[in-house]
Amino acid sequence: MNVLLDNLGLYGSGFLTTIQLFVISAIGSLVWGTVLAAMRVSPVPILRAFGTGYVNTIRNTPLTLVFFFFAFAYPRLDIVRLDFFTLACLSLITYTAAFVCECVRSGINTVPVGQAEAARALGFGFTQTISQIVLPQAIRSVVPPLTNVQIALLKNTTIAAGFSVVEAGGIYQNLSERGYDVFVGLLWVAVGFLILVTPLTVLQRRLEKRWSVTR
Amino acid sequence: MTDTPMIRMASVEKHFGDLHVLRNINLEVAPGQVVVVLGPSGSGKSTLCRTINRLEPIDSGTIEIDGKVLPEEGKALAALRADVGMVFQSFNLFAHKTILENVTLAPIKVRKMNKAEAEAKGMALLERVGIADQRDKYPAQLSGGQQQRVAIARALAMNPKVMLFDEPTSALDPEMVNEVLDVMTTLAKEGMTMLVVTHEMGFARRAADRVVFMANGEIVEDAPPDEFFTNPKSARAKDFLGKILTH
């Protein structure tokens, strides 16, 4: 207990950074992943090829490598100088979006073809059909796997510790420098993550319940 | 002809792989006319219906709506489809939208009508098909007959020049068929141009100006309903009617 109470400030700022990383990356990956999924089902061959290529490349790349790219290769490109926190968000979004994309795409496949046909017959274009009719129904059917992806994202934020972003995953390093029992310190980090995941699980249940009525 | 036909199909051909589903289709539907397409299953009548708003692309030939050739997939085609109402066998109401939203969505998004105006018009249409009291329910909470009437209202909300019906009563329980046919009959009497693929002989007799009989992807007969039902010319039509009308 002492480990936690003595270092409350360290735990507090660590988990705060984790939450910031997670919220930004979650929103970013959901948006970008959904756009990618729309590309993969679009009638334009170049977009489809891009979407497929992106997913196959990123999904098969270890997250650490994605971080390496953004932390070390990206700055050499001399485009825009970004701090480590932003680079960490970009890495997480880039990586997680590939999984979100495949989730959403499997949801799209559950929406009957007739829904899109009816929309097209009424004069909707592709973008309207997908955004008004197909995606809202697709996402409803993939809430549980999407929650999985987001929980994985939450835990993946710990990799950012290796790249100079002080978040919850980096707490133990500071603790060992201060001479505390690292094992106990890590237990508290695990408890912290459990607490963070709980609202996600609750949100998942709420959404499932709410949307099951409207089918 | 002095009037431009509302639908004109000329030398239309279509294959599904090896299957030749539409063979040299020539068909004109004048404004205000109601044409019922009959034929055994697999004769290509649904495909014919679906080619008219290019839900199925054709291999060769021409299709014109109100004098305009069907464009390639894109904005122009979407604009043309907005003027062509379509009612499907499986209703295809938007499952995540309420009944009223189903009817107002396309006018708002495609015609850029403001919401209040679209809702007033939507309610009037729901009133007309007799489902105004279900406005806040979702499609799955309605019976098949009610859903199909909403689907008709949804198509009418776009003020279409012509309505296509692809077997609108085939997925319905028998007791619900009439409520849908009644709406269609009223529509026909009001002068809507309609092309109806159906097995409902009663509707064909009552509401059609012409009956088009298809078999094996060809139009075999094209005659007024009285003439077609009492005195079919081709052997295939006689055979078809014999099977249907004896029971």
Side-chain angles (χ1 to χ4, degrees):
Chain A
M1 207 63 187
N2 279 344
V3 187
L4 177 67
L5 294 177
D6 292 354
N7 299 289
L8 220 47
L10 178 63
Y11 276 94
S13 69
F15 271 104
L16 188 68
T17 312
T18 297
I19 292 170
Q20 285 170 340
L21 270 175
F22 169 70
V23 171
I24 294 171
S25 309
I27 295 170
S29 66
L30 285 172
V31 172
W32 177 222
T34 307
V35 172
L36 281 169
M39 284 184 189
R40 290 204 67 174
V41 297
S42 88
V44 186
I46 300 170
L47 292 181
R48 276 206 306 274
F50 174 81
T52 312
Y54 182 99
V55 168
N56 285 339
T57 315
I58 302 294
R59 202 167 52 161
N60 296 332
T61 308
L63 176 57
T64 330
L65 278 186
V66 180
F67 264 98
F68 266 114
F69 171 81
F70 277 102
F72 303 117
Y74 173 82
R76 289 200 183 183
L77 297 175
D78 266 332
I79 306 169
V80 190
R81 290 288 244 150
L82 297 169
D83 58 17
F84 277 117
F85 179 81
T86 313
L87 289 172
C89 287
L90 282 177
S91 313
L92 289 166
I93 291 171
T94 305
Y95 179 79
T96 312
F99 295 89
V100 170
C101 167
E102 289 303 272
C103 241
V104 171
R105 199 167 64 93
S106 69
I108 289 174
N109 292 336
T110 68
V111 180
V113 190
Q115 294 283 312
E117 275 186 351
R120 285 160 67 208
L122 284 164
F124 287 76
F126 172 76
T127 317
Q128 281 179 323
T129 304
I130 203 99
S131 66
Q132 298 287 329
I133 307 302
V134 179
L135 280 177
Q137 295 185 59
I139 288 172
R140 275 154 209 235
S141 61
V142 291
V143 170
L146 262 186
T147 312
N148 273 351
V149 171
Q150 295 303 320
I151 290 174
L153 164 66
L154 176 60
K155 296 188 284 187
N156 284 340
T157 56
T158 50
I159 292 186
F163 297 85
S164 313
V165 180
V166 183
E167 37 73 30
I171 290 173
Y172 76 96
Q173 283 170 327
N174 285 286
L175 287 180
S176 66
E177 280 162 24
R178 294 180 193 182
Y180 284 97
D181 184 345
V182 173
F183 180 69
V184 179
L186 272 179
L187 271 182
W188 285 113
V189 172
V191 171
F193 272 100
L194 256 176
I195 294 170
L196 285 185
V197 170
T198 313
L200 286 181
T201 319
V202 173
L203 181 69
Q204 171 190 339
R205 264 193 219 134
R206 286 258 171 92
L207 289 178
E208 277 184 80
K209 225 181 212 165
R210 200 170 125 197
W211 283 337
S212 66
V213 188
T214 62
R215 276 187 160 252
Chain B
M1 271 182 85
T2 47
D3 268 356
T4 323
M6 191 53 82
I7 302 173
R8 193 175 85 87
M9 303 177 81
S11 328
V12 170
E13 301 277 344
K14 164 137 189 107
H15 292 79
F16 282 128
D18 288 339
L19 194 67
H20 200 163
V21 277
L22 295 180
R23 297 166 197 257
N24 190 27
I25 298 289
N26 293 288
L27 179 69
E28 288 191 1
V29 181
Q33 235 185 15
V34 177
V35 172
V36 167
V37 183
L38 299 176
S41 54
S43 59
K45 50 193 195 311
S46 268
T47 310
L48 175 111
C49 186
R50 290 163 57 84
T51 57
I52 294 171
N53 64 357
R54 212 173 185 278
L55 283 182
E56 296 287 356
I58 54 175
D59 298 340
S60 64
T62 330
I63 299 179
E64 288 172 13
I65 305 278
D66 201 12
K68 271 183 249 155
V69 178
L70 271 191
E72 290 290 300
E73 199 75 41
K75 280 215 169 67
L77 181 62
L80 189 134
R81 279 176 178 152
D83 289 336
V84 179
M86 182 146 192
V87 175
F88 299 86
Q89 179 175 356
S90 47
F91 329 132
N92 295 347
L93 291 179
F94 303 136
H96 63 306
K97 299 278 183 192
T98 64
I99 297 310
L100 184 59
E101 285 168 344
N102 262 280
V103 180
T104 56
L105 191 68
I108 292 171
K109 298 290 174 190
V110 178
R111 295 263 194 248
K112 311 293 176 203
M113 195 185 273
N114 74 53
K115 200 178 167 206
E117 199 184 333
E119 286 190 346
K121 189 173 182 210
M123 280 313 290
L125 283 166
L126 289 179
E127 205 83 59
R128 193 169 142 192
V129 298
I131 338 190
D133 51 335
Q134 317 276 2
R135 54 175 286 177
D136 294 322
K137 289 195 179 165
Y138 286 91
Q141 296 168 294
L142 266 55
S143 73
Q146 288 174 323
Q147 289 192 51
Q148 195 60 299
R149 284 185 283 153
V150 175
I152 295 174
R154 176 176 71 175
L156 289 176
M158 296 296 281
N159 290 328
K161 295 176 183 170
V162 49
M163 290 277 285
L164 307 173
F165 293 84
D166 183 7
E167 305 207 21
T169 56
S170 302
L172 296 175
D173 291 338
E175 76 270 22
M176 291 169 187
V177 168
N178 278 329
E179 63 190 63
V180 172
L181 290 181
D182 287 347
V183 172
M184 290 168 60
T185 310
T186 315
L187 207 55
K189 285 200 185 115
E190 288 168 1
M192 176 62 78
T193 313
M194 293 162 64
L195 185 129
V196 185
V197 174
T198 188
H199 293 290
E200 297 297 331
M201 301 301 148
F203 175 78
R205 278 177 189 276
R206 198 162 65 233
D209 296 308
R210 273 161 66 199
V211 169
V212 167
F213 176 75
M214 286 184 75
N216 294 326
E218 279 177 306
I219 293 182
V220 182
E221 290 201 35
D222 184 345
D226 281 344
E227 196 182 315
F228 176 76
F229 286 113
T230 51
N231 187 20
K233 290 189 188 68
S234 65
R236 276 185 288 191
K238 279 177 195 159
D239 179 52
F240 176 72
L241 288 173
K243 280 176 187 153
I244 284 185
L245 297 176
T246 46
H247 61 85

